[in-house]
Amino acid sequence: MTPTLPSGDQASDQDNWDNGRLAHKRQLLTEIILRNRLTALVVDGDTTCRVLEQLLFHSYGVQTQGVDNGRDAIALIASGVKFNLIIIDMILSVLNGLEATRQIRDMGVHCKMLGVTACSGESERQAFLAAGVDVFIEKPLDPEHLVPILRELDGQ
Amino acid sequence: MAASSTDPTQQLNDYIKTMHDQGILDDNFDQLLALRREQNPRFINELISMFTNDAEAYIAEITNALSLTEVDFSTIISKLHQLKGSTSGIGGHRMYQACCELRVAADDGDKDRCDELFLRVKEEFNTLKQCLDSISQMRSNIISNGTRSRRRRPL
């Protein structure tokens, strides 16, 4: 089951509780308005992570596609679909994130790639950067990391 | 003893704060709540359900891998990676910490330590699941009370 991604007018006006913690988080979600239509590919084998990452992108107006393994990511890119940004996890089924990243770069794809993974060791970071990601981010992907990258891609 | 708020919204706020204070939830859960405003009102409940279902599956696979005569550490690491990732996304702080410790033991190929630390992962998952189930229930009550209020409004 995947949570549906409806339009904003379905938000409940009764479900309007808040607390002080949310103010800063919500501010980060609204502090950027993109001038251009950006697209992102999310490659993550875990459904919860993939849905969360796609929802975070949607909140900024970025259109996304999601796949759960490296092979499908390669196939999608090989079919000619272009993305401004690729988010990829390190450990994936079928074709792991490191090899998928190498193959994507070997295909001549030069878009921004973020390695977003639950691995936090320096050796993992170096391996992912060596494979071809531009930025290594320990999960979860958060607005603090994403907003500056989206601004850059949007030419702001 | 101070009287507790009867306002369901305040009760939910207080409960989440308590979960933060106990280290069961962290700021990543707050990020979900911030996303909530942009999505359908049942988004959080659906996501919680997705997380717990998948976590139970990962735990079952790790259990199986640990029970083999020749422990399958590769599968343990792979499934633990996904469990760790989804737990961090949902904001399960203590469970995430337990997963990190288990990962070290799995990397070392230490079965005895894996068994011990995996017990802790399962305990923390049960605690987190109860917490998330309570949040889901409280949110469902808030949403359904809101629906009933809207139906009572004159046309």
Side-chain angles (χ1 to χ4, degrees), chain A residues 82-156:
Chain A
K82 305 279 188 232
F83 297 99
N84 301 108
L85 181 62
I86 297 174
I87 305 292
I88 186 163
D89 193 1
M90 181 174 278
I91 298 182
L92 299 168
S93 62
V94 184
L95 184 66
N96 72 57
L98 292 178
E99 185 54 33
T101 300
R102 287 188 203 103
Q103 291 191 24
I104 288 170
R105 290 306 195 199
D106 287 345
M107 291 163 69
V109 173
H110 300 296
C111 71
K112 196 89 163 179
M113 288 188 73
L114 309 186
V116 181
T117 181
C119 301
S120 57
E122 182 60 23
S123 61
E124 285 92 353
R125 191 181 83 87
Q126 293 296 339
F128 224 164
L129 291 170
V133 301
D134 298 293
V135 183
F136 178 93
I137 297 171
E138 189 178 345
K139 278 184 179 177
L141 181 63
D142 59 7
E144 283 92 344
H145 283 100
L146 189 57
V147 167
I149 291 170
L150 291 179
R151 284 191 196 281
E152 178 193 336
L153 292 173
D154 196 42
Q156 295 184 15

Side-chain angles (χ1 to χ4, degrees), chain B residues 107-146:
Chain B
D107 283 342
D108 292 343
D110 186 334
K111 183 191 187 310
D112 289 339
R113 213 160 96 233
C114 280
D115 284 336
E116 177 192 332
L117 293 171
F118 186 46
L119 268 178
R120 179 155 168 250
V121 167
K122 288 188 285 189
E123 284 166 5
E124 292 297 347
F125 171 66
N126 286 334
T127 301
L128 178 61
K129 184 174 183 301
Q130 284 175 22
C131 159
L132 294 174
D133 285 346
S134 296
I135 290 172
S136 280
Q137 187 58 55
M138 283 189 265
R139 295 197 77 254
S140 292
N141 293 341
I142 290 169
I143 291 167
S144 57
N145 285 341

